[in-house]
Amino acid sequence: MIATDAPIGVFDSGIGGLTVVRALLTRLPHERIVYVGDTARVPYGPKSPDTVRRYAQEIAQWLVDQGVKAIVVACNTATAHALSDLQRTMPVPVIGVVEPGARAAVRAAHGKPVGVIGTVGTIDSGAYDRAIHAIAPELPVLSRACPLFVPLVEEGWLDHRVTRDVAQEYLSPLLADGVTALVLGCTHYPLLAPLLADLAGPDVALIDSADETALATAEVLTSLSLSAPARATPPRHRFVASDAPDRFLALGQRFLGGTLDHVEHVTFG
Ligand code: DGL
């Protein structure tokens, strides 16, 4: 029997998944969160599907051992490679970011082509194409891996001319083919949203799956009667990094402010 006041587990390859945490805190303010950032093994994007599946299993099992009532896979690459495995093997519901993002993209596209950008792992897996076509089989989907974006974001070059040139190179073919919705299929890309919006122009909707994923999580908890009871005091969350917790704390506060005041160190694998 899972307790309603048990926490929700959230994990990502690193810090980027805090965008999903922020959306969860807004939509589900009574829920407690245990977040794992696998900072020792980031990036997942260029790694093989088997390796990412192994990492995801280790972290999900650790979260289950902490007593979570549901798991949100905030990482697009881990969702693309490992979601169905985790849903089969974990004793709690597991929610990924791809399906919610696909739903939002189909809504925004109005039957016109959808663009998807992500890591090499996410794009090569075809996960977004499948999720979009499951809803809208005829919708044209144009995908492009953008492997230079993650290092540029980690460098803090969010509006640097080099980033602008790289983005222009990546987006040109998608824009030339007339995409009307562009899925930011990677935890880091929402930080590039102003620059990408500028390049793509006002007719292209940028889709950030964080809020859709929070909505999907709320729906799953409600349908299973697992929503947390209202609390008199704000819930305490836990944040865990597999390497350099101090760096995680400093960077993470940019996403979450004072909500993030302590980071634990746990080694996986
Ligand atoms: N979290 C990854 C994703 O959303 C990006 C960073 C990485 O490659 O690990 O795909």
Side-chain angles (χ1 to χ4, degrees), residues 27-62:
R27 202 168 271 282
L28 297 168
H30 301 299
E31 299 293 346
R32 273 191 301 138
I33 289 173
V34 182
Y35 179 90
V36 175
D38 195 4
T39 45
R41 302 186 291 194
V42 68
Y44 283 8
K47 296 204 166 75
S48 73
D50 279 350
T51 297
V52 173
R53 273 194 282 275
R54 178 161 55 80
Y55 291 173
Q57 283 283 345
E58 287 165 3
I59 296 172
Q61 187 54 55
W62 183 86

Side-chain angles (χ1 to χ4, degrees), residues 75-220:
C75 177
N76 289 258
T77 309
T79 300
H81 292 320
L83 184 69
S84 51
D85 264 31
L86 296 175
Q87 287 175 329
R88 213 179 43 248
T89 53
M90 294 298 137
V92 297
V94 185
I95 299 125
V97 284
V98 169
E99 264 179 42
R103 266 201 301 279
V106 171
R107 266 202 316 274
H110 301 296
K112 306 257 181 50
V114 173
V116 179
I117 53 176
T119 64
V120 170
T122 297
I123 298 303
D124 284 359
S125 76
Y128 272 104
D129 302 53
R130 281 194 299 281
I132 291 169
H133 286 145
I135 310 167
E138 306 296 330
L139 202 62
V141 179
L142 305 152
S143 305
R144 177 110 207 224
C146 304
L148 295 175
F149 277 170
V150 167
L152 286 166
V153 168
E154 301 235 325
E155 198 58 37
W157 288 14
L158 304 184
D159 190 26
H160 193 283
R161 70 188 152 70
V162 170
T163 313
R164 191 166 280 270
D165 284 351
V166 169
Q168 180 86 53
E169 184 75 27
Y170 283 145
L171 295 196
S172 303
L174 303 180
L175 298 174
D177 280 335
V179 300
T180 51
L182 181 66
V183 181
L184 309 182
C186 172
T187 46
H188 288 55
Y189 299 178
L191 295 171
L192 294 175
L195 184 147
L196 298 177
D198 196 34
L199 288 176
D203 297 334
V204 179
L206 300 187
I207 311 295
D208 167 1
S209 48
D211 191 49
E212 289 289 324
T213 303
L215 183 63
T217 306
E219 284 168 1
V220 167

